[in-house]
Amino acid sequence: MPEERTSLGTVYDLRGKRVWVAGHGGIVGSALVRRLKHEKCTILTITRQEVDLTRQDQVEAWMRETAPDAVFLSAAKVGGIFANESYPADFIYDNLLIEANVIRTAFEVGVEKLLFLGSSCIYPKLATQPIVEEELLSGPLEPTNQWYSIAKIAGIKLCQAYRSQHDCDFISAMPTNIYGPGDNYDLNSGHVVPSLLQKAHNAKMSSAASLEIWGTGSPMREFMHVDDCADALVFLMKHYSDKGHINVGSGKDIRIDDLALLIMKIVGFQGELVRDTAKPDGMARKLMSSDRLAALGWRAGIELEAGLRQVYAERFGNENPRERKALRLD
Ligand code: GDP
């Protein structure tokens, strides 16, 4: 049997299955729940207050009691560049424990299929762009998010180890930078899209003269609407069964200052763009190659500008009835 076999033929049928979305309160988890409602499966969720996923005993009790057939492991401690730099211990410790507990227990209780979610942060700082899956562990990591990436790399390896030793059908997907409903709009801990939407909105409301972005504005980032991401993840759950992790991206990236200008246009803020170069840039570029996903038959469908317009209107309201109708907000 070849090492890397594509497995479009081996469809995992979600109909009638009990599917646990671990992390259903987060941006990706909540989008997965919305998407799975079209799949005729039973969706299982549990709040953080009821089950702390960093506690092995609680994870075991919950999984033994509910016996899920399939698991989307979208629970994680996540945050933007500033949060990663400020709380390195939390980012590495919480993520290692969550994935170790859930993956190990999934094996023990006989979960048929598990999809582990990582991120494009797993790749080396100087990875060749667009980044193909084989770039993993080919060089040193970007220091600002190394804690998170090391934990996510360990998650991929856990899935591979359980596949190799116990024949578990555990797969890993690496989404690019996600934005959409349920995002974190806190200016200190959030990622760039919600932060800039919030900042531009505040600037417009207060008739400010300028909007400040962090860093030089020259880094490039790839963005994907979370509904596209959730659709890709369900597709992979059904159609992919290999040890190699797989990138989930839109295939297009944009400079951060161009993103800021686009957001200013969408929000309707006409002030000046200023740069706080005391803040870090992070990776210069991290565009992933999504060729492997495309070869399986899935492509992103939501363009960045349309997606941002929709998110802005949903979050901050949109008075224009014609635009609301076009965005299907009513
Ligand atoms: P990253 O992709 O892990 O670096 O995470 P972020 O989404 O936090 O940041 C992406 C890029 O946007 C980095 O180069 C940041 O310096 C830049 N950036 C510019 N303005 C902001 C802002 O207001 N908030 C955040 N989080 N990033 C910003």
Side-chain angles (χ1 to χ4, degrees):
M1 190 168 46
E3 272 271 297
E4 290 277 322
R5 78 201 132 86
T6 50
S7 45
L8 254 188
T10 60
V11 173
Y12 182 72
D13 193 348
L14 284 169
R15 278 175 301 181
K17 302 286 184 185
R18 297 166 57 75
V19 183
W20 177 28
V21 178
H24 72 286
I27 177 171
V28 177
S30 54
L32 275 168
V33 170
R34 288 196 296 278
R35 173 62 186 80
L36 285 168
K37 288 191 176 146
H38 302 284
E39 290 294 325
K40 296 192 174 69
C41 57
T42 303
I43 303 168
L44 308 172
T45 59
I46 186 80
T47 64
R48 191 176 306 187
Q49 289 69 39
E50 289 164 291
V51 173
D52 178 349
L53 298 180
T54 66
R55 295 282 307 274
Q56 190 177 14
D57 52 343
Q58 295 186 20
V59 173
E60 284 182 3
W62 156 255
M63 290 183 76
R64 283 191 199 288
E65 182 195 320
T66 52
D69 300 306
V71 176
F72 286 92
L73 181 38
S74 59
K77 170 137 188 96
V78 295
I81 194 163
F82 186 66
N84 265 267
E85 279 206 314
S86 311
Y87 306 105
D90 294 356
F91 273 87
I92 192 162
Y93 180 83
D94 288 7
N95 284 312
L96 282 172
L97 287 195
I98 291 169
E99 63 208 30
N101 289 339
V102 174
I103 292 169
R104 161 85 192 167
T105 313
F107 156 64
E108 283 183 341
V109 304
V111 165
E112 295 167 351
K113 188 136 191 187
L114 177 144
L115 188 154
F116 169 70
L117 266 150
S119 131
S120 55
C121 298
I122 58 162
Y123 291 112
K125 183 179 172 72
L126 300 176
T128 307
Q129 315 273 328
I131 310 171
V132 293
E133 285 83 353
E134 289 73 18
E135 288 279 342
L136 182 64
L137 294 174
S138 63
L141 298 167
E142 155 61 37
T144 50
N145 55 30
Q146 58 177 314
W147 322 100
Y148 178 78
S149 21
I150 289 280
K152 288 295 178 183
I153 293 169
I156 297 173
K157 292 293 166 191
L158 269 169
C159 290
Q160 291 176 350
Y162 277 94
R163 175 178 287 274
S164 166
Q165 191 177 333
H166 298 293
D167 219 15
C168 297
D169 194 356
F170 295 172
I171 60 172
S172 302
M174 302 301 122
T176 187
N177 297 39
I178 299 297
Y179 68 94
D183 218 334
N184 172 11
Y185 284 82
D186 179 81
L187 295 183
N188 284 320
S189 60
H191 282 104
V192 63
V193 166
S195 297
L196 294 187
L197 283 168
Q198 185 72 57
K199 283 186 189 175
H201 184 71
N202 294 350
K204 179 180 152 184
M205 289 304 163
S206 63
S207 306
S210 61
L211 175 143
E212 187 177 84
I213 61 167
W214 294 354
T216 60
S218 65
M220 310 230 4
R221 290 290 182 276
E222 177 187 10
F223 297 102
M224 182 182 225
H225 192 286
V226 72
D227 287 342
D228 261 348
C229 177
D231 193 59
L233 298 176
V234 171
F235 175 88
L236 289 172
M237 179 64 102
K238 289 172 76 166
H239 297 294
Y240 187 72
S241 173
D242 253 325
K243 70 176 196 273
H245 64 283
I246 188 154
N247 292 343
V248 174
S250 61
K252 287 183 199 149
D253 59 356
I254 179 171
R255 276 177 64 111
I256 292 298
D257 45 15
D258 287 336
L259 172 76
L261 292 171
L262 178 61
I263 286 177
M264 285 161 66
K265 182 179 92 173
I266 290 168
V267 170
F269 172 65
Q270 286 162 352
E272 196 193 343
L273 180 71
V274 296
R275 295 162 173 80
D276 177 0
T277 52
K279 292 275 192 326
D281 268 344
M283 244 163 104
R285 196 178 181 203
K286 47 178 172 176
L287 174 65
M288 296 196 301
S289 161
S290 292
D291 287 355
R292 191 170 288 174
L293 180 59
L296 290 172
W298 191 94
R299 271 177 206 284
I302 305 174
E303 286 297 326
L304 181 62
E305 180 164 351
L308 290 173
R309 280 191 188 282
Q310 187 196 42
V311 169
Y312 180 63
E314 274 173 358
R315 170 83 189 177
F316 297 96
N318 186 333
E319 314 296 275
N320 181 340
R322 212 195 265 158
E323 192 158 344
R324 283 188 72 83
K325 203 160 171 225
L327 294 168
R328 280 183 254 142
L329 292 171
D330 293 319

